[in-house]
Amino acid sequence: MDVIEHDGKQGVTAPHAAWELGAALADHSVPVDDRDGVAVAQFLRMAADAWAAAKTEEATDRALERVRFLRLLESGAGVALHDAVNDARGSGASWAGVGWALNTSRQSAYERFTD
C-alpha cells in the first residue's frame, strides 16, 4: 500500500486504499453495487479523516469535522447528481437507463429529477 507523508505525518493514499479494498471485494458472490458502495464508503471515511486531521488535533473536534465534511459532501453530491442526470438525459439516456443507474424504477427517477 502506498504511504505518503504530509506535514510530517505518514498515511495511506485514499485512492490506493479504496482500490485495494475494491480488489479485496472482487468476490463475484457480492453484487457489484455493494462492492462499489463499500469501496466508496471506505474512500470517503479516509477523506473525512484527512479533512479533520488538517483542521484540528482535538479528538472531539476531529469527530465533528468528519461529520461536517460528510454533510458538505452529501449536499454537494446532491447537486452533482442532479447535474449528472441532466447530462445523461441531454445525451439521450432514457429514464429507464437513469433509473437503472440510480438503482430505482424509471418512474421514480423521473419523479425525483423533473420539476
Side-chain angles (χ1 to χ4, degrees), residues 81-100:
L81 181 58
H82 273 80
D83 290 346
V85 168
N86 288 338
D87 289 348
R89 292 287 297 146
S91 69
S94 66
W95 281 113
V98 172
W100 170 83

Side-chain angles (χ1 to χ4, degrees), residues 10-100:
Q10 287 191 344
V12 177
T13 62
H16 188 75
W19 177 85
E20 283 195 355
L21 180 64
L25 293 170
D27 178 358
H28 294 292
S29 65
V30 178
V32 171
D33 280 350
D34 291 348
R35 289 188 311 229
D36 291 346
V38 169
V40 168
Q42 180 65 20
F43 176 83
L44 294 176
R45 283 186 199 102
M46 293 178 73
D49 287 344
W51 170 282
K55 296 284 186 178
T56 184
E57 292 191 19
E58 296 295 322
T60 301
D61 291 342
R62 286 176 82 161
L64 291 172
E65 280 295 337
R66 284 192 296 274
V67 171
R68 180 173 172 266
F69 172 81
L70 292 167
R71 177 190 52 83
L72 293 169
L73 187 62
E74 182 179 43
S75 175
V79 171
L81 181 58
H82 273 80
D83 290 346
V85 168
N86 288 338
D87 289 348
R89 292 287 297 146
S91 69
S94 66
W95 281 113
V98 172
W100 170 83

